[in-house]
Amino acid sequence: MEILSYLVDGLLLALQPINLGLIVIGVSVGLFIGAMPGLGSVNGVAILLPITFLVPPGSAIIFLAAIYYGAMYGGAISSVTLGIPGASTAVATTFDGRPLALQGRASLALVTAALASFVGGSVANVLFTLFAPPLATLALSFGPPEIFALMLLAFATFVGLGGDDIAKTVFSICIGLVFASIGFDQISGQPRLVLFDISGFLHGIGFIVLAIGVYGIGEMIWTIEQTRGEVTTTTPRMSVAGMISDTREAVRRGWKGTTIGSFLGFFVGVLPAAGATPGSLMAYGVAKLVSKTPREYGKGSPDGVAAPEAANNSASTGAMLPMLTLGIPGSPTTAILLGGMVIWGLVPGPQLFVNETEFVWGLIGSFYISNFAALLINLAFIPLFIWMLRMPFTVLAPMIFVLSIIGGFAATRDMHDIWLIVIFGLGAFFLRKFDYPLAPAVLAIVLGPIAEPTLRQSLLLSSGDPSIFFTRPIAGPITIIALVLIFLPALKFFRRNKSTESS
């Protein structure tokens, strides 16, 4: 009952005129920041951080958290309408959101994304409210072996993304891991794979650069080649009755992915250094793995939209938990929020809930209000997003190209990365021509920078003994499950060949 009383007080604080106004503004700004390729919540929060010194600290963190929420919703917009992920957290949404848009069902994709995001955020808010201290303690028990086991599990769930051709999937993952290794070694500090001694490779290959190249430029070239430039995007229909119908279909066909993404995303978000991007990719892989119709994934499955969208919104709330209770940011965006709190004189940690009760519960109350406001604003703007798809592809293609280049430059301010975007776009086009799956490569470049250092740190802890991944109580079961999932397709392949030979 005490928690409920604190929550009511927090909701009343969040509903004060100044805080409610900042929530609406923050969510609206975040929605468009998330939809702009190359920006995302990290850049949005960082750019708008100085503005918050004009308001009290409690209102400032509520405003920045609202931007974070809005950006998580907004990432799906350009993923669906243009095929370009608005942020790294929305890459998995592109896998099925874009095919739905090309089928003239962009409304279904956007409604599914909005509803899944709302449910994911709501589930995370409830879990945050009820279990903040014990979950923070559990997150602390995740050392390098546990984090690596979790990353291995993510790779295992994605092995099936290549269909029956496991070799091409493994090749795609290996290419992604190579790209993830470019730059400075995180442990020794030595440069690696700096091609032709070009200095631009020293800072590595940014994920957003790869994502914009693969899903912006690559998708545009693929569409032009397939249609010889004569196609216009399938004209979507938009009406109140259509939205109601889409809502029903989104609930009916997306509930399983939403459930998986809501819980898995929150758990991954709580882990320090994980964040919403790995959470959304893992949720997509797990949803596909347990689906009765896995072949629909990648071709326009609402469940494939719901899982990552529920996960990235759930993870964004989960990432706040270690920041507030332990002072450890769970994502790059919460690291900026943590810096803001320190500037405002607030010290994150266990005592924050005791010494700054009004601030903490006002922030938690704002999570609920921001989540509801983001749903309403997102649904209200869907007709505008649908209108974008009525443009002929002869207009849309140059717009995609320009947005891709601008987004890539805005993210890094480096012309080296612009050339990489073009090269990755061409490479993605040729990979698709030869039926190589792109999703595993994207997963590898996201998880590679997390998996490699945790693997090496774990082996340093055990003096090179790999049994550390099997003997620890949390890492052991996760590693075994991951290995089973990795070798399961191979067993199916050999069993299929054996039955063919016997017949």
Side-chain angles (χ1 to χ4, degrees):
M1 288 300 293
E2 187 180 13
I3 289 178
L4 189 60
S5 173
Y6 280 135
L7 180 60
V8 171
D9 291 341
L11 288 170
L12 291 174
L13 188 64
L15 287 170
Q16 289 180 357
I18 182 172
N19 292 334
L20 185 60
L22 287 172
I23 286 173
V24 174
I25 294 170
V27 166
S28 302
V29 170
L31 189 70
F32 286 95
I33 286 174
M36 283 298 294
L39 282 180
S41 60
V42 180
N43 293 325
V45 171
I47 291 167
L48 295 172
L49 181 62
I51 297 175
T52 61
F53 295 108
L54 302 174
V55 295
S59 300
I61 192 76
I62 285 173
F63 174 65
L64 294 178
I67 294 172
Y68 192 14
Y69 252 106
M72 289 298 107
Y73 272 74
I77 295 167
S78 57
S79 293
V80 172
T81 56
L82 300 176
I84 314 171
S88 60
T89 55
V91 167
T93 308
T94 311
F95 300 161
D96 284 277
R98 183 58 180 163
L100 279 171
L102 292 174
Q103 296 165 20
R105 308 219 63 193
S107 174
L108 173 61
L110 291 169
V111 168
T112 302
L115 294 177
S117 297
F118 176 73
V119 173
S122 300
V123 168
N125 288 336
V126 172
L127 293 174
F128 189 108
T129 305
L130 297 177
F131 305 112
L135 283 172
T137 305
L138 176 65
L140 277 181
S141 65
F142 270 70
E146 286 75 20
I147 297 291
F148 175 75
L150 201 62
M151 296 302 103
L152 187 64
L153 181 62
F155 282 117
T157 59
F158 261 65
V159 166
L161 282 181
D164 293 330
D165 202 331
I166 305 300
K168 287 184 177 180
T169 303
V170 172
F171 175 81
S172 186
I173 289 175
C174 290
I175 287 290
L177 289 174
V178 169
F179 288 146
S181 302
I182 294 174
F184 285 106
D185 186 331
Q186 293 187 33
I187 293 182
S188 70
Q190 295 296 315
R192 302 182 303 186
L193 301 179
V194 180
L195 306 177
F196 309 110
D197 291 325
I198 298 173
S199 60
F201 285 112
L202 289 173
H203 62 65
I205 294 176
F207 173 72
I208 198 67
V209 171
L210 178 88
I212 291 175
V214 170
Y215 292 105
I217 304 297
E219 180 72 22
M220 180 192 71
I221 297 173
W222 171 259
T223 305
I224 291 173
E225 195 272 341
Q226 290 293 105
T227 61
R228 306 300 179 191
E230 296 176 2
V231 73
T232 58
T233 307
T234 307
T235 305
R237 299 170 188 168
M238 193 66 210
S239 64
V240 174
M243 280 196 69
I244 293 173
S245 175
D246 287 337
T247 302
R248 289 174 182 163
E249 187 173 354
V251 172
R252 178 172 55 83
R253 298 181 62 189
W255 68 268
K256 187 180 289 185
T258 302
T259 305
I260 291 169
S262 298
F263 289 95
L264 180 61
F266 181 77
F267 176 71
V268 175
V270 167
L271 301 177
T277 302
S280 62
L281 288 164
M282 288 178 67
Y284 184 88
V286 172
K288 182 178 188 296
L289 193 69
V290 302
S291 174
K292 293 180 180 178
T293 55
R295 292 186 181 278
E296 289 183 5
Y297 280 67
K299 299 177 182 177
S301 169
D303 224 26
V305 174
E309 281 302 301
N312 63 39
N313 280 266
S314 186
S316 65
T317 301
M320 294 276 195
L321 193 148
M323 181 197 75
L324 291 174
T325 58
L326 303 172
I328 302 172
S331 69
T333 309
T334 52
I336 297 172
L337 293 176
L338 177 65
M341 288 177 64
V342 172
I343 294 170
W344 298 318
L346 298 164
V347 182
Q351 291 302 310
L352 188 68
F353 280 73
V354 178
N355 300 332
E356 301 288 347
T357 305
E358 183 176 319
F359 165 79
V360 169
W361 287 99
L363 177 61
I364 293 173
S366 78
F367 293 164
Y368 289 86
I369 306 300
S370 296
N371 194 32
F372 187 68
L375 175 68
L376 295 181
I377 293 171
N378 202 359
L379 291 176
F381 277 107
I382 283 180
L384 174 63
F385 307 144
I386 295 297
W387 173 82
M388 293 169 58
L389 289 174
R390 294 199 175 102
M391 289 184 285
F393 193 74
T394 50
V395 175
L396 209 54
M399 184 182 295
I400 291 171
F401 183 79
V402 170
L403 282 174
S404 297
I405 300 302
I406 292 174
F409 187 76
T412 63
R413 318 219 177 234
D414 190 342
M415 279 303 299
H416 170 79
D417 289 334
I418 303 303
W419 288 111
L420 285 182
I421 286 174
V422 176
I423 292 168
F424 282 137
L426 292 171
F429 167 72
F430 285 111
L431 284 174
R432 286 192 69 175
K433 286 282 285 183
F434 294 105
D435 292 324
Y436 280 85
L438 298 175
V442 173
L443 175 84
I445 204 169
V446 173
L447 301 187
I450 302 173
E452 186 203 353
T454 53
L455 170 63
R456 293 169 65 182
Q457 288 163 5
S458 302
L459 294 175
L460 285 171
L461 285 172
S462 65
S463 300
D465 185 1
S467 65
I468 190 173
F469 300 112
F470 298 93
T471 54
R472 290 171 67 111
I474 297 179
I478 297 176
T479 303
I480 291 170
I481 293 170
L483 291 175
V484 169
L485 291 176
I486 288 172
F487 290 110
L488 194 61
L491 291 174
K492 288 180 179 177
F493 176 76
F494 287 122
R495 186 181 298 173
R496 192 185 304 128
N497 281 359
K498 192 173 181 181
S499 61
T500 305
E501 290 172 4
S502 61
S503 60

